[in-house]
Amino acid sequence: MNKIFPQGDGNGNAAAGSKALPGGEADCSPCCCSRRGACLSAFLMLLMTTLAALIALVSILGPPPRTPGAQACVTQMNRTGFLCDDRSSCIPASRVCDGVRTCAHGEDEGEALCRAVPQSLPGFLVAYCGNPASWIYSDQMCDGINNCGDCSDELNPVTICPPCGPGWWRCPSTVFKYCSCIPRSLCRDHVQHCSDWSDEYSCPGP
C-alpha cells in the first residue's frame, strides 16, 4: 500500500492539517524550547552571581571616597577659611597647601588642589596684590601685616580695610613689616616704630 502525503494547492499553500508559524518558521520543538530555557536560566544565574560579587566587594572595601568640592568657611578669628571634609573643621586659608596636613584626612594638601598654586586654588582662598603677579592667601588681607611687600593688602586703593583694631595703634610705620598700624605692644618701648614718634609719646601702650 502506498502512503499518501498531504499536498499543497496550486498556489503553494499548505494543505489542511499542517501547521505553520508566522514568518514561515516551523513550530519550536520541545528540545529547542528546552535549550532556550536552559540558556536563559544560565544567564540569569550569571547576572545574579556578578551582582552578589560586586555587593560583597563594596562591603569589604567600602564605598569609593567622596571628593566634595572645596568650600569656604569663617574661622574663629573671623577670617576666610577652608572647610575640611568632616564639615566641622574650618582651617585658615593660609594653612592650605603649606606642606602640612591640617585637615584630619589631608584634603587641604590634596594633589588636585595644590598641583599649580595659585591657579589650582579656589578663588575664595586667593587675593592678589597691587602687582598682579604677586598673591597672598585671602586671610592675610587686612591683618595688619605687610604680606604683599608694598602694603597693597592693607591700604587703599587696592584694599579697603577697617580701622586698626583695639590691639593696634594707627600711625605711619617705619617698620617694613607693618603699614598703617603697629601692635600696641611696641608702644612705649623706647624704640621708634612710627615716623611721627607717636608710638612713644601718644600711644597709651598695651
Side-chain angles (χ1 to χ4, degrees), residues 4-38:
I4 300 175
F5 294 94
Q7 300 294 323
D9 60 17
N11 296 324
N13 297 323
S18 65
K19 186 177 180 180
L21 294 178
E25 296 181 357
D27 193 5
C28 179
S29 66
C31 181
C32 175
C33 292
S34 177
R35 286 199 302 269
R36 289 182 180 178

Side-chain angles (χ1 to χ4, degrees), residues 103-116:
C103 291
H105 301 289
E107 54 270 19
D108 55 306
E109 301 297 321
E111 181 180 356
L113 187 65
C114 305
R115 69 178 181 273

Side-chain angles (χ1 to χ4, degrees), residues 69-73 81-91 96 103 107 124-125:
Q71 293 190 18
C73 57
F82 175 86
L83 186 64
C84 298
D85 284 355
D86 61 10
R87 292 296 184 264
S88 62
S89 302
C90 181
I91 67 173
V96 176
C103 291
E107 54 270 19
F124 67 84
L125 293 177

Side-chain angles (χ1 to χ4, degrees), residues 143-145 164-170 178 181-184 203:
D143 64 351
I145 308 299
C164 301
W168 297 77
W169 174 255
R170 186 174 185 82
Y178 306 109
C181 304
I182 65 169
R184 284 181 179 266
C203 178

Side-chain angles (χ1 to χ4, degrees), residues 79 93-94 135-145 147 153-154:
R79 295 279 174 180
S94 53
W135 69 279
I136 60 174
Y137 285 98
S138 53
D139 65 332
Q140 295 174 324
M141 294 181 62
C142 300
D143 64 351
I145 308 299
N147 296 291
D153 55 311
E154 301 294 323

Side-chain angles (χ1 to χ4, degrees), residues 21-206:
L21 294 178
E25 296 181 357
D27 193 5
C28 179
S29 66
C31 181
C32 175
C33 292
S34 177
R35 286 199 302 269
R36 289 182 180 178
C39 291
L40 181 59
S41 298
F43 174 76
L44 292 177
M45 287 296 295
L46 178 62
L47 181 62
M48 293 177 64
T49 303
T50 303
L51 290 176
L54 288 175
I55 294 173
L57 186 62
V58 170
S59 64
I60 294 173
L61 301 179
R66 188 169 59 95
T67 55
Q71 293 190 18
C73 57
V74 179
T75 66
Q76 294 181 350
M77 300 298 294
N78 200 30
R79 295 279 174 180
T80 301
F82 175 86
L83 186 64
C84 298
D85 284 355
D86 61 10
R87 292 296 184 264
S88 62
S89 302
C90 181
I91 67 173
S94 53
R95 300 290 294 275
V96 176
C97 299
D98 63 347
V100 179
R101 291 162 59 101
T102 306
C103 291
H105 301 289
E107 54 270 19
D108 55 306
E109 301 297 321
E111 181 180 356
L113 187 65
C114 305
R115 69 178 181 273
V117 173
Q119 290 78 11
S120 58
L121 294 174
F124 67 84
L125 293 177
V126 179
Y128 288 93
C129 301
N131 177 4
S134 301
W135 69 279
I136 60 174
Y137 285 98
S138 53
D139 65 332
Q140 295 174 324
M141 294 181 62
C142 300
D143 64 351
I145 308 299
N146 182 16
N147 296 291
C148 283
D150 59 1
C151 284
S152 58
D153 55 311
E154 301 294 323
L155 302 176
N156 293 337
V158 177
T159 306
I160 300 177
C161 296
C164 301
W168 297 77
W169 174 255
R170 186 174 185 82
C171 74
S173 175
T174 60
V175 183
F176 177 79
K177 182 178 180 180
Y178 306 109
C179 297
S180 60
C181 304
I182 65 169
R184 284 181 179 266
S185 59
L186 298 179
C187 293
R188 306 282 179 168
D189 64 351
H190 308 291
V191 178
Q192 181 187 13
H193 299 97
C194 297
S195 61
D196 57 4
W197 286 91
S198 62
D199 57 310
E200 296 299 315
Y201 296 105
S202 302
C203 178

